[in-house]
Amino acid sequence: MTAARSLPADGYPPPPEPGLTAEEVVARAERIAVDLVGRQQETEERGYYGLDTHNEFLNAGFYRLLVPRRYGGYEFGLDTYLRVVAALARGCGSTAWMYTFGASHAHVAATLFGEAAQDELFAGGDFISPGTIGPVGFAERAEDGGWIVDGIHRYCSGSPYATHFIGHTLVAGAEGEQPTPMMFVVPRDQWTRLEDWGGLLGLRGSGSHSIKIEKAHIPGHFALPGTHIGLASVADGTPGLALHGNPLYGGGVLSMIQFQNGALATGMAAGALDVYTQLMRDRTTIYPPITSRAQDPDFQFHFGEAAGRIATAQAALADGARQWHETAARGSAVFTREVDIRLSLISREAVRLSWTALSEHLFPTAGSSAVRTGERLERIWRDMSTLQSHAGVSLFLAKVANRQLAELVFDLAGAR
């Protein structure tokens, strides 16, 4: 799928490059990724990718890929977007992580928020917003019908160059009732980025800083009471579908978010295979008969196993995006919670295949000199290990999603 169908509104600007194609934007990501490889160390030391890389992304149109055409975006499909993420991850996992968890929330905003909010959120065209799922504190009603939100939100990937922040809080219920979640969006001038990122094993350059919000006042249309991004249903239609007339903004947001984990994992694994391929060409075996690794049956086996798993992961993710688009095109009513979770589990398998290709075949057999501190393969292993600890992968996809799918299939009382 190249550019998706849209209903442009009079008075809104066209995208900077109206004729930009999906193939060209992916090719740009592949070209940029080559330069990212040599900048991984500085990215880790800084904690996020450099301003020149950010400007390169701006000029390439990356922050507008999922922004509606109504607001000067490109409105490309998820398939194109995921190919861009995977291409960047092949060059630098940290950079791709920071990019995607900032840029992808344009899809969430364009799907779930109403026209009044979108008119303001997308006024600048480029949209970068980290998003977190853990509720922080309680929201208070303002006299004008808006909301007062505050608190420190952690792991806000994409925050260094962000234009907004999407988070969650709680709204107190009546006496004896449980509080309910509320999703909200806050412009950049109402929060502060804390200098607290970079101490993890991997993904040290992912710009996943904490942000601090102090009694920020937001208008009522910047909040969605009763909504949690991980539980949001599109079965009754979405504001985005009604506004833009494009099924891209009528499909499940849960699976779209989870697909990013698959794109990051397949991209990083492909980068590891690049390293291993060069080692196969350049290095010899240690024990007689001494020959190139490329000619050795054992190295051939590990290469083939890893290549097959990575190719399978890539194919699964691409088909997951295809299913997502086809389901959304059939109408929101068929994009049920069950479908959303099933598609999310495809991403889990893409992550698992990518991780086992690295951890069982590439990393253990590359040789100690290839995994010294600062070597490309060592960094990929650290980044992929840290991806495994992400709550979306280690908790939701690994455990919660399985149970929820069973509950829904068998119509159990606990189904959500």
Side-chain angles (χ1 to χ4, degrees):
M1 300 176 188
T2 55
R5 183 174 66 89
S6 62
L7 297 176
D10 291 338
Y12 290 95
E17 298 178 77
L20 183 63
T21 66
E23 291 306 315
E24 172 55 25
V25 81
V26 172
R28 289 177 181 179
E30 292 171 344
R31 290 194 294 269
I32 291 172
V34 174
D35 293 331
L36 295 178
V37 174
R39 303 189 64 179
Q40 293 178 95
Q41 182 65 33
E42 66 169 90
T43 298
E44 284 196 340
E45 292 174 355
R46 185 189 301 109
Y48 53 94
Y49 55 76
L51 181 60
D52 56 339
T53 298
H54 168 62
N55 288 331
E56 199 168 14
F57 288 179
L58 280 171
N59 294 332
F62 291 173
Y63 297 124
R64 295 179 182 238
L65 298 185
L66 298 175
V67 172
R69 281 191 173 267
R70 175 187 180 98
Y71 302 114
Y74 291 105
E75 209 168 285
F76 285 121
L78 299 190
D79 44 2
T80 299
Y81 181 77
L82 294 174
R83 289 173 65 194
V84 168
V85 174
L88 295 176
R90 190 169 187 167
C92 176
S94 281
T95 294
W97 187 286
M98 174 174 161
Y99 161 72
T100 190
F101 286 115
S104 66
H105 292 105
H107 179 263
V108 173
T111 299
L112 300 180
F113 284 88
E115 182 176 3
Q118 292 195 38
D119 283 350
E120 296 179 48
L121 297 177
F122 296 122
D126 296 294
F127 186 84
I128 309 169
S129 176
T132 58
I133 62 172
V136 174
F138 283 84
E140 302 175 8
R141 269 290 188 186
E143 293 182 359
D144 62 359
W147 294 89
I148 304 297
V149 295
D150 65 358
I152 295 177
H153 299 256
R154 305 191 185 281
Y155 299 104
C156 300
S157 303
S159 54
Y161 304 115
T163 61
H164 298 81
F165 166 71
I166 293 176
H168 292 81
T169 186
L170 295 173
V171 177
E175 186 175 352
E177 295 182 354
Q178 292 292 318
T180 57
M182 185 178 84
M183 187 165 73
F184 65 89
V185 58
V186 180
R188 178 62 184 86
D189 60 4
Q190 294 195 64
W191 52 265
T192 302
R193 178 171 62 89
L194 304 182
E195 295 297 333
D196 62 352
W197 184 247
L200 269 69
L201 172 68
L203 297 173
R204 296 174 183 172
S206 63
S208 303
H209 303 69
S210 299
I211 71 165
K212 184 177 183 179
I213 306 172
E214 296 185 271
K215 298 295 182 182
H217 176 271
I218 59 173
H221 53 269
F222 274 19
L224 298 175
T227 299
H228 187 282
I229 194 172
L231 300 174
S233 173
V234 301
D236 295 325
T238 66
L241 179 60
L243 180 61
H244 305 296
N246 185 345
L248 174 63
Y249 305 116
V253 295
L254 172 65
S255 48
M256 183 276 164
I257 290 171
Q258 293 296 348
F259 282 161
Q260 295 174 90
N261 291 314
L264 289 163
T266 56
M268 285 189 270
L273 190 63
D274 291 341
V275 176
Y276 201 84
T277 299
Q278 196 60 48
L279 291 173
M280 292 273 286
R281 293 193 175 105
D282 296 344
R283 303 282 178 89
T284 62
T285 57
I286 296 176
Y287 300 105
I290 305 300
T291 183
S292 74
R293 290 187 181 184
Q295 294 176 304
D296 181 79
D298 290 334
F299 281 102
Q300 290 171 352
F301 171 79
H302 288 295
F303 175 87
E305 276 290 310
R309 295 186 190 194
I310 294 168
T312 303
Q314 292 168 333
L317 190 65
D319 194 69
R322 178 193 62 78
Q323 291 183 52
W324 191 99
H325 278 286
E326 290 185 356
T327 305
R330 289 168 55 201
S332 295
V334 299
F335 216 122
T336 62
R337 177 73 175 176
E338 179 183 334
V339 170
D340 219 4
I341 293 178
R342 283 185 187 273
L343 291 176
S344 296
L345 290 174
I346 292 176
S347 180
R348 182 192 67 185
E349 294 309 308
V351 171
R352 178 150 40 196
L353 285 165
S354 299
W355 171 242
T356 58
L358 175 65
S359 63
E360 295 178 9
H361 297 283
L362 302 181
F363 188 86
T365 63
S368 58
S369 63
V371 297
R372 289 178 298 188
T373 301
E375 293 293 332
R376 185 180 176 192
L377 189 59
E378 179 265 348
R379 183 172 285 108
I380 294 172
W381 184 86
R382 286 193 289 105
D383 288 346
M384 286 276 277
S385 297
T386 302
L387 182 150
Q388 297 298 309
S389 71
H390 185 261
V393 175
S394 64
L395 178 59
F396 180 77
L397 289 182
K399 297 180 180 179
V400 177
N402 290 334
R403 294 195 294 268
Q404 286 194 10
L405 181 61
E407 290 172 350
L408 290 162
V409 169
F410 296 104
D411 195 24
L412 302 178
R416 288 173 284 273

